[in-house]
Amino acid sequence: MSNKVIIKRLATGIPGLDELLGGGIPEFSFNLIAGAPGCGKTTLAHQMMFSLAGPDCRAIFFTVLGEPSLKMLRYQQQFSFFDLKKAGSFVKFVNLADEIMSGDYDLVLARIAEETKAFMPSLIFVDSFRSIVQASDYNDKGPADLQHFVQRLSMQMTSWHATTFLIGEYVENESQTGPVYTIADGIFWLSQSAQRNSVVRKIQIVKMRGQANSPGSHTFRISKDGLHIFPRAVVSRGMTSRSDRPASAAQRRLSTGVAELDQMLGGGIPAGYSALLVGPSGSGKSVLATEFLAEGVRNGETGVIAAFEKSPSQLLSPKLDDLVRAGKIGVIDTHSLDLSIDETLYEMVTMIRALDAKRVVIDSLSGFELALAPAFQDDFRESLYRLVTVLTSMGVTVLMTTELEDRYTDLRFSPYGNAFLADAIIMQRYIEMAGEFRRVISVVKVRGSGHSKAIRLFDISDDKIVIGPGFDDYEGILSGRPIKVRRGETSES
């Protein structure tokens, strides 16, 4: 054969799913949607069906439930994707409960064939196929009978030029060597797990013949609009963070909005870098982060901020609020619990592309970790690495804030060993001077670039960072001993 067969891919209409599948559902494929009860299998099937159904793509939904189809439809109608007009013309529901309970596979196939030939659908759904298996056990049908039934069903669906989905309630410890697993062209595995008061739903494309699908498990949510899948960010070859690339002396620098700090950084933050701003509570991290975004707008660069500790109204200054209203800065309000890294990254990437943003602020990593569902907190460092790598590979400059307990005698640069994520680290601390706490700022590192090693006093005035003089001797600051500063000199109290 000189020409390859081209398989058409059907767009599912489910946000994120086509990306997992490698471009959509292969037309005329035979698929299994499996998982434990309550994980969203039927909702996934209905959402896909109503998205695809139309004049040129009819769909038939066989239910194997003992209860009327109307009861199931009563609940499915609550989702925004449910279209009553399509249900009356392009989508047909058929109940197979009587045929299934008879235990006669030939009778089941005959009813499916009869309805299919009369309606001529392009999409066929059978929910729940697991009920057919259980009925076969009840009626003393062996594995060979079931395999023969599945093979005949698959052949008939393909001959009718229909894309088929069997929906079944399975649990992960069940054997996946049964006939339906072998014959299926595609297998969707849905699951949900509960940890403390958090419930996390995930989907995995176990199998998809003829195309490269995205490996691993991916989180999803079910809202009034149905499923929304958040593909897990995968760091691939060619996708490297700025820390893996050689620095250039002529590399463009981004101003922080504070001229003195730019000088300390060696000219500003190099474009495409990830910078970590660490300091104790109240040291001015959020103020500096908002200055960074405002300076970007002044230079014609839009920005995005993800707020995890404060609401946007608390975080943004009046000036930045005007910039948000003007569409110069996008705000991701993540002031909620049970998040996942991938869900957050999806929202950030979507907004970055929509605004063509060049600057991103994450305020703060400490709040981010607390907002995550418990299932994602264990591998926070690994997930954060993927997030930073994806963002910097897009060419944006990322400024992350994180709260660091000031222990005075214990000098650290990030909590939980996150310093490796950053190409640059700016540190804020408190010191005791003349009976009061004063703020100091220093640049710990700028990868591939020279920078100031001075520790300088700074203050906050009118929501701006004002950096003062440095110290000739700062040993007392690092040791945490009380110090006095007179006429620019430092001496131990």
Side-chain angles (χ1 to χ4, degrees), residues 18-51:
D18 292 347
E19 183 178 342
L20 296 192
L21 297 172
I25 294 286
E27 191 176 31
F28 311 143
S29 58
F30 192 75
N31 305 280
L32 173 66
I33 302 174
C39 61
K41 301 182 301 297
T42 300
T43 302
L44 171 68
H46 275 88
Q47 188 173 354
M48 193 185 310
M49 178 176 66
F50 278 101
S51 174

Side-chain angles (χ1 to χ4, degrees), residues 29-33 183-188 205 207-209:
S29 58
F30 192 75
N31 305 280
L32 173 66
I33 302 174
I183 296 173
D185 301 310
I187 299 176
F188 302 68
I205 308 302
K207 176 183 180 182
M208 186 54 63
R209 284 190 175 126

Side-chain angles (χ1 to χ4, degrees), residues 50 56 66 76 108 165 170 179 183 193 228 233 323 333 343 357 390 398 411 413 432 439 443 452 461:
F50 278 101
D56 300 323
Q76 289 298 311
V108 174
F165 299 87
Y170 295 87
I183 296 173
S193 59
H228 192 142
L323 296 176
D333 185 4
E343 179 178 355
V390 169
V398 182
L411 185 61
F413 300 131
E432 184 182 343
R439 299 181 179 95
V443 176
S452 171
S461 176

